[in-house]
Amino acid sequence: RFERIKAPELQERVVSAEEAASWIQDGMTLGLSGFTQAGDAKAVPLALAKRAEFETFKVNVYTGASLGSNIDTVFAQSGIVHKRLPFQSDPVMRRKINEGAMLYTDHHLSHTAEWIRDGVITPIDFAIIEAISITKDGMIIPTTSVGNSAIFAQYAKNVIVEINTEQPERLYRLHDIYDTGTHEGRNPIPLTHVADRIGTTGIPVDMEKIRGIVFTDQIDSPSTIVPPDSETEAIASHLLALLRSEIKAGRLTEKLAPIQSGVGSVANSALRGLIDSEFHDLEMYSEVLQDAVFDLIDADVLRFASGSAITLSKEKMAQVYSDFRKYEDKIVLRPQEITNHPGLIRRLGLIAVNTALEFDIYGNVNSTHVSGTKMMNGIGGSGDFARNSRLSIFVSKSTAKGGNISSVVPFVTHVDHTEHDVDVLITEHGYADLRGLAPRERAGLIIENCADPTYRDQLSGYYEEALTRGGQTPHVLEKAFSWYQRLAETGSMLEK
Ligand code: 0RQ
C-alpha cells in the first residue's frame, strides 16, 4: 500500500480514518472529492458521521456534484450538515432540505471554483480527496472523478488524502488538471479540441498542507441505469430526427459536434440511440461519462470523450476497469470548471442535451423545483451548457406520475433556463425547434409537438384566453399556476 505514496516524507502521515475525522471541529467547512457518485472521499466522511452518534456538531459540505456510497444519506440522517453545495441527488438529503432542516445552495457547477478563488463562500478547512496515488513531488492523482478536487486542495487550509487501493494505478494519465488562475492574472485557456491535454496529470498541492493520508478499499457505488422504455426510445428517435434535419440544412455533418449529455434515464437512453445511427467519429465534451459512452466507444461510434467523472453500473464498471487499456487513449477527466467552462462550451460548439422536469408554452425550463417549491436535485451543469452551447436541447417525458402531471405547463413555477437559453424541446411526441421564434410562434408549436394529447386542449384553451389579454408573452396570470393548485387538491392537473 505504501508504494502508492511515492513521496517518502509523506509516508509517515498515514493515519486511520477515525483519527483524521477527529480533526474536524464544529463549524468547519469541508471540500470533498466526488462527482455523480464517482471518486468520492468515503472513509473519513463516514467516520465523521459516526462521531455524530456521540457528539453534536455541524459542518458545511462542498463537493463536485452528487456523492455516492450513502455519504449524503448518512450525513443527512446524522444531521451534521449546516450547508451543502453545489449539487446533491440523495432522497434523504432532499427530504431534509425540503423540510428546512439543512441549507442547500444550488449552484452552477462551473461557478463554485470561482467563488472559492474569490473568497465569496466560507473558506475550506479540510479538503478530503480520494486518490490512486501521490507522486514524488506531492501531486495527488485522483480516481474516477476530478470535479472540484483541484480547487479544494489548492485553497483548503489542510488536505486529507484517501488512497483507494482498489482503484487501479493504471488510471494514472486519465486526468488533465488545469488551473485557470485568478482574476488578477488570467490567460486564455489553450483548449481548442475535445482531446487536448493542457495541464498536469495530477493535482499539484503544497506537501506541507497534507495533514494526513488514509487508506481505503471501498469502490464507488454503481449507478442504476433504468433500461430504455418506449417513451425514452421515442425521445431518442426525435433527437436523431432533429440532428438529421440539421445535417440536411447544412449546419452539421455526420460527425455532428461535440456532445454534452445530462445524467439520468432519459439522457442515457438518448445517447444509446446514437449506437445504431449513421453518425460516426463523434466526440463528447460532457460532465459525466455514463455506460452509454463506453457502449458508443465499443461500437466505434465515439472517437473521444472528455468528462469530469466516470459513473457506471455494476456490470459496466467490472468490464471497463478490467479492460481499461482499450479506453485510456479515448478518455480524459478534467476539473468541472473546465468541462463546464462557458468560453470552452461556446468555442467547441457543443450540442447539449439535458433533462427538464417541466417546461412552459414559451420555452422556459424548470429542472429543479417540483411544483415550484420542492428541490429535486439541483441545476448541476445544465445551466452552464444550456446558455453557451451551439444547440441547447431539453428532453422530458410529456407527463409524470401516471399522467397526473403534465410536463408542459402554462408557466413554469421555477425558472432554471429562461426561454433565451433553450433552442429545442423534445418529448416522446416530437420536438419543437424554438430558434428564431417569437413567443407567439412558440406556444402553438410546443403544445402541438410536445404536449401529451390529453393536455393539448387544456393548454390551447389557456393560450387562447391569454391572447385576449395581449402582450409580448401573453398570460392569464391569475390562472398561470392554477394547474398546481388542481394537482394539490385533486391529485391531477387534468380538468375534469
Ligand atoms: O420520479 O422516479 O419518483 O417517479 O422526477 O424523472 O423522468 O425519470 O427523469 O431520471 O432523467 O431525471 C430533471 C430530475 C430528471 C434530472 C431530472 C419525476 C419523475 C421521477 C425523475 P419517480 P425521470 P430523470 C448533468 C446535468 C437537473 C440537473 C442536470 C435532473 C423523477 O435530469 O436532476 O440537468 N436534472 N444536470 O416522476 C413532478 C414533474 C416531474 C416529476 C418528472 N413535472 N413534476 N415530478 N418528475 N417530471 C448532470 C450534473 O450536473 C451532475
Side-chain angles (χ1 to χ4, degrees), residues 49-305:
K50 267 226 158 293
R51 269 178 50 196
E53 291 171 19
F54 315 101
E55 307 169 46
T56 308
F57 63 93
K58 287 214 188 272
V59 289
N60 299 315
V61 178
Y62 306 164
T63 59
S66 58
L67 299 178
S69 307
N70 258 353
I71 296 162
D72 271 337
T73 315
V74 174
F75 274 3
Q77 280 164 344
S78 58
I80 61 169
V81 181
H82 171 250
K83 185 180 277 187
R84 177 83 173 81
L85 72 81
F87 186 81
Q88 65 75 44
S89 64
D90 179 77
V92 179
M93 187 166 273
R94 180 183 301 151
R95 202 177 65 236
K96 295 278 181 193
I97 291 167
N98 289 321
E99 286 168 3
M102 57 173 278
L103 300 172
Y104 178 45
T105 305
D106 174 26
H107 196 211
H108 290 306
L109 295 189
S110 75
H111 286 193
T112 310
E114 289 285 81
W115 272 357
I116 291 170
R117 221 174 254 126
D118 291 347
V120 172
I121 45 178
T122 314
I124 297 168
D125 296 289
F126 280 93
I128 312 175
I129 312 292
E130 191 184 75
I132 50 169
S133 59
I134 305 176
T135 64
K136 262 202 193 103
D137 46 359
M139 263 203 315
I140 299 170
I141 309 297
T143 58
T144 47
S145 72
V146 177
N148 275 322
S149 297
I151 196 83
F152 289 166
Q154 194 185 348
Y155 280 82
K157 292 173 200 143
N158 304 279
V159 178
I160 298 169
V161 182
E162 281 195 11
I163 294 192
N164 192 324
T165 50
E166 272 302 300
Q167 292 294 359
E169 283 211 76
R170 82 176 84 89
L171 296 189
Y172 182 66
R173 291 202 186 288
L174 171 63
H175 318 90
D176 184 52
I177 313 296
Y178 183 80
D179 178 11
T180 63
T182 62
H183 284 121
E184 281 65 48
R186 227 165 228 190
N187 292 313
I189 302 169
L191 189 148
T192 51
H193 298 98
V194 167
D196 284 350
R197 283 181 167 270
I198 58 172
T200 50
T201 49
I203 300 170
V205 63
D206 172 5
M207 273 203 250
E208 286 309 304
K209 286 204 310 193
I210 300 184
R211 172 98 183 262
I213 300 170
V214 169
F215 285 111
T216 175
D217 56 9
Q218 193 179 331
I219 57 164
D220 291 342
S221 37
S223 60
T224 34
I225 296 288
V226 185
D229 57 28
S230 60
E231 287 162 337
T232 57
E233 276 173 357
I235 291 171
S237 78
H238 296 308
L239 174 64
L240 293 186
L242 166 74
L243 297 173
R244 285 182 185 124
S245 82
E246 286 301 287
I247 293 171
K248 211 163 157 213
R251 290 189 286 265
L252 287 174
T253 68
E254 282 180 358
K255 293 184 178 179
L256 301 178
I259 297 167
Q260 177 264 337
S261 158
V263 285
S265 48
V266 179
N268 200 59
S269 171
L271 262 188
R272 210 176 283 271
L274 293 169
I275 289 182
D276 299 319
S277 73
E278 68 279 28
F279 306 126
H280 54 86
D281 284 332
L282 303 185
E283 293 177 326
M284 287 198 71
Y285 195 79
S286 201
E287 295 170 333
V288 185
L289 309 183
Q290 305 185 79
D291 283 24
V293 170
F294 293 86
D295 294 338
L296 286 167
I297 292 178
D298 290 343
D300 261 342
V301 176
L302 190 66
R303 227 167 53 80
F304 197 90

Side-chain angles (χ1 to χ4, degrees), residues 35-36 64-66 87-89 109 226 232 260-267 287-288 340 353-358 366-371 376-383 385 394-397 399-402 405-407 409 417 484 487 493:
F35 194 105
T36 326
S66 58
F87 186 81
Q88 65 75 44
S89 64
L109 295 189
V226 185
T232 57
Q260 177 264 337
S261 158
V263 285
S265 48
V266 179
E287 295 170 333
V288 185
N340 291 34
V353 186
N354 289 291
T355 313
L357 277 177
E358 60 175 8
N366 173 9
S367 295
T368 57
H369 284 68
V370 173
S371 289
M376 184 68 172
N377 300 323
I379 192 166
S382 55
F385 291 98
F394 279 90
V395 296
S396 173
K397 294 185 180 181
T399 62
K401 309 295 173 201
I405 296 177
S406 174
S407 308
V409 291
H417 314 289
Y484 304 92
L487 174 66
M493 285 182 169

Side-chain angles (χ1 to χ4, degrees), residues 304-316:
F304 197 90
S306 161
S308 200
I310 299 176
T311 303
L312 301 173
S313 65
K314 194 162 176 248
E315 303 71 48
K316 205 71 196 165

Side-chain angles (χ1 to χ4, degrees), residues 412-425:
V412 286
T413 44
H414 177 93
V415 187
D416 291 295
H417 314 289
T418 77
E419 49 160 330
H420 315 286
D421 296 340
V422 180
D423 292 331
V424 181
L425 293 167

